[in-house]
Amino acid sequence: MPTGIISIGSHLPEHIIGNDRIAEWAGVSEEWIHERTGIRERRYARAGTATSDLAAHAARQLFSRRDGSAELTDALIVATCTPDVPQPATAAIVQHKLGLRAVPAFDINAVCSGFLYGLAVADGLRAALPDTEHVLVVGADMFSTIMDRTDRTTVSLFGDGAGAVLLGPVPEGYGMLAARTVSDGALHHLVGVPAGGTAVPLDRAARESGQHFLKMDGRAIRQYVHTTLPKVVHQVLDDAGLSLADVDRFIFHQANTRLLESFADIAGIDRERMPLTAPRLGNTAGASIPVTLCAADRDRPLERGENLLLAAIGGGMTAAAALVRWY
């Protein structure tokens, strides 16, 4: 049977960081931040919180909405680029915190596209492994831990959060209709954290030079979004035999409110069909799409038969899109 989303959940830290705080850190005005990003506030996790904590909270909310979901879970995928530790996988830690039985559990790092990579991999697991019927996919990130708070181009954008979906069998004609993933490795230098791996050890020199913080080339990333996002969006539409007019809601990675508004206008997408969480949550990276999906469902419950187009751009550079018919 096709792979569909059968339950959803999300979790956001309670600590709100408004533009007044960002302006103080970065030496800019609140108006400058809002004018360029469309973001007014974001959430930061409290000290002592790990990415696995956010992920586990999102999964528990999902479990609370559908009894028996924990017992149904045959595999766990965590999409994150801010793991608890270099090893083991954050998924193994989440598995322990949730008390799941011994099932496959692993991480995916495609930065902000990671959640959609996770959906594609989960669909493949269901097709390849007969005993894998239900897969829990969690997107979770804590960018507050890798922010240079004096860098206005990054600290104004990002927040923390987690979102989760349980994938399972749905009737023919529903579920995932198409999915596309791509990586352009020649552009890997456009966004990332230079230190902390085998290339640049996280030593005193790296810390003193700020190499443990996120760096990004905003202008080049914007160009990549405008050239690559339309491509993957139209590819999944073509694969599914649908058009933009057939899509009921566009669940996009919330990179930047202004960027999304610009893309929607260029692509001819009705903004009313494009839920936004960036204005109050910022860019929650791998959590962005499931968090926005949950928010859209709270605002107006998803109905059977709705066509949802999910799409993201992430570091690497990566891009992904999926067409899902809600069941």
Side-chain angles (χ1 to χ4, degrees):
M1 296 178 71
T3 299
I5 297 173
I6 62 176
S7 188
I8 58 177
S10 65
H11 174 76
L12 298 160
E14 295 180 356
H15 188 39
I16 297 173
I17 302 293
N19 284 349
D20 55 340
R21 184 77 64 85
I22 300 297
E24 180 182 344
W25 290 339
V28 295
S29 69
E30 295 180 50
E31 292 74 21
W32 184 93
I33 298 167
H34 185 256
E35 178 183 341
R36 285 162 177 76
T37 69
I39 297 168
R40 294 192 179 277
E41 59 187 36
R42 68 288 291 150
R43 307 291 184 93
Y44 278 11
R46 300 283 185 182
T49 304
T51 296
S52 62
D53 293 319
L54 301 184
H57 284 312
R60 291 189 189 104
Q61 189 192 86
L62 178 155
F63 293 156
S64 72
R65 298 180 64 171
R66 188 181 179 94
D67 291 341
S69 295
E71 291 73 23
L72 286 175
T73 302
D74 298 311
L76 167 63
I77 299 172
V78 173
T80 186
C81 59
T82 55
D84 284 19
V85 291
Q87 56 175 295
T90 298
I93 301 170
V94 175
Q95 181 182 28
H96 169 67
K97 290 181 176 180
L98 294 175
L100 298 180
R101 58 194 171 87
V103 299
F106 57 93
D107 292 356
I108 285 180
N109 181 357
V111 195
C112 299
S113 301
F115 177 78
L116 291 182
Y117 271 61
L119 289 190
V121 170
D123 188 36
L125 284 178
R126 291 193 66 250
L129 304 175
D131 294 334
T132 303
E133 191 170 40
H134 295 87
V135 182
L136 177 62
V137 181
V138 185
D141 272 308
M142 284 180 53
F143 267 55
S144 63
T145 63
I146 56 172
M147 287 290 99
D148 175 355
R149 296 186 178 183
T150 67
D151 179 8
R152 63 184 185 179
T153 62
T154 56
V155 74
S156 59
L157 292 173
F158 293 93
D160 302 342
V165 300
L166 183 67
L167 302 177
V170 294
E172 290 292 336
Y174 294 95
M176 290 182 61
L177 305 181
R180 289 273 184 158
T181 58
V182 65
S183 179
D184 293 298
L187 303 176
H188 73 274
H189 59 282
L190 295 185
V191 57
V193 179
T198 57
V200 181
L202 186 55
D203 55 18
R204 178 179 295 180
R207 288 187 176 277
E208 289 176 350
S209 61
Q211 297 300 294
H212 59 304
F213 290 133
L214 178 74
K215 314 288 184 183
M216 56 183 273
D217 183 339
R219 181 172 297 179
I221 291 169
R222 178 181 292 270
Q223 182 178 351
Y224 183 81
V225 170
H226 281 304
T227 57
T228 307
L229 191 58
K231 186 183 302 182
V232 294
V233 163
H234 285 288
Q235 282 175 338
V236 293
L237 286 170
D238 290 344
D239 291 345
L242 300 175
S243 69
L244 286 174
D246 297 315
V247 178
D248 296 289
R249 293 189 232 193
F250 295 87
I251 311 297
F252 288 142
H253 161 55
Q254 303 288 296
N256 173 322
T257 307
R258 301 299 182 227
L259 186 61
L260 287 175
E261 290 171 342
S262 172
F263 172 75
D265 292 343
I266 292 171
I269 294 171
D270 180 2
R271 291 190 189 180
E272 293 297 316
R273 292 186 286 154
M274 186 180 72
L276 292 175
T277 56
R280 59 186 179 83
L281 300 178
N283 179 349
T284 52
S288 179
I289 285 181
V291 163
T292 303
L293 181 65
C294 287
D297 182 57
R298 283 193 299 271
D299 290 343
R300 178 166 56 86
L302 294 161
E303 297 182 5
R304 183 170 295 177
E306 280 196 54
N307 291 322
L308 311 177
L309 198 154
L310 288 56
I313 295 290
M317 293 294 292
T318 61
L323 206 298
V324 177
R325 182 165 294 149
W326 194 257
Y327 183 75

